[in-house]
Amino acid sequence: MRSFILVALLVASAFTTPLFPPAKNLLPDGRIIGGANIDISEVPWQVSVQFYGAHICGGSILSQTWVITAAHCTDGITSRQLTIRAGTSTLESDGQEVNVARIYQHPDYDRDTIDWDISLLQLSALIDLNANALEIVLPQAGTTPAACKAAYGAGSITERMLCAGVSGGGQDACQGDSGGPLAVGFLLGGIVSWGYGCGRLGYPGVYGNVAAMRDYIKETAGL
């Protein structure tokens, strides 16, 4: 039985991982950089986004009928091809599998710059909320300064992005974690988006800045 390797990175938690550019390689390699095994009950908002039943990305539960993930995870994909799996620590098994009724990919998503890297998945049935499947808390609308322009260049980092990592490298989300949460306690701070490699010195992971895209979530899902 293959188990998820769920990782807590300082104040962050991620479910699956990206390489740069993320849109070109979504398949997981089963490795988290500098992580540790935990149970889904410790991060019950995390879900697996599945393409014809195979894990491709992570996501977070916003409500019984809404999941948030990265736009590069849904780009070029139809809702009929996707399901989400919630409430399990086991890859592609156990928990709850729910069909996706509709994908709301941000209309301004740019696959070249990875700006506006957010998609909302409306589900066709209710997630049964329990100790292993709970909603994550959304931040207030606003912007958070991106402290990673020195690493990637000012032109590569927009206000819809933020960075997280450790100064010495060695801890990071990686390939397959795209779309998963950067959680600050129970608060959704970011969406795993992109980065230069995984855990490289001087190159922190780049995340979609949820606070800066909060209005889109409110307008689309009413949350």
Side-chain angles (χ1 to χ4, degrees), residues 1 21 27 43 52 66 84 105 130 137 140 144 154 162 168 171 177 200 212 214 223:
M1 181 180 293
L27 295 178
V43 285
Y52 289 118
W66 289 96
I84 67 97
Q105 181 173 300
N130 55 61
V137 178
Q140 296 296 315
T144 303
L162 58 83
Q171 287 185 308
D177 284 332
R200 293 191 180 186
R214 186 69 178 83
L223 300 171

Side-chain angles (χ1 to χ4, degrees), residues 3-27:
S3 295
F4 279 126
I5 300 175
L6 302 180
V7 61
L9 300 179
L10 300 178
V11 295
S13 60
F15 193 65
T16 53
T17 298
L19 294 177
F20 178 80
K24 295 184 179 179
N25 197 339
L26 300 178
L27 295 178

Side-chain angles (χ1 to χ4, degrees), residues 1 29 35 41 45 49 56 64 109 125 165 183 194:
M1 181 180 293
D29 62 8
S41 62
W45 49 80
V49 178
I56 57 168
Q64 286 186 288
Y109 168 66
W194 62 277

Side-chain angles (χ1 to χ4, degrees), residues 50 52-54 82-86 92 94-99 125:
Q50 302 180 143
Y52 289 118
L82 290 182
T83 57
I84 67 97
R85 188 177 293 276
E92 299 167 9
D94 300 331
Q96 310 170 54
E97 188 173 16
V98 183
N99 291 328

Side-chain angles (χ1 to χ4, degrees), residues 137-162:
V137 178
L138 286 166
Q140 296 296 315
T143 59
T144 303
C148 44
K149 293 184 178 181
Y152 294 105
S156 298
I157 304 300
T158 74
E159 66 181 35
R160 271 81 54 186
M161 301 175 189
L162 58 83

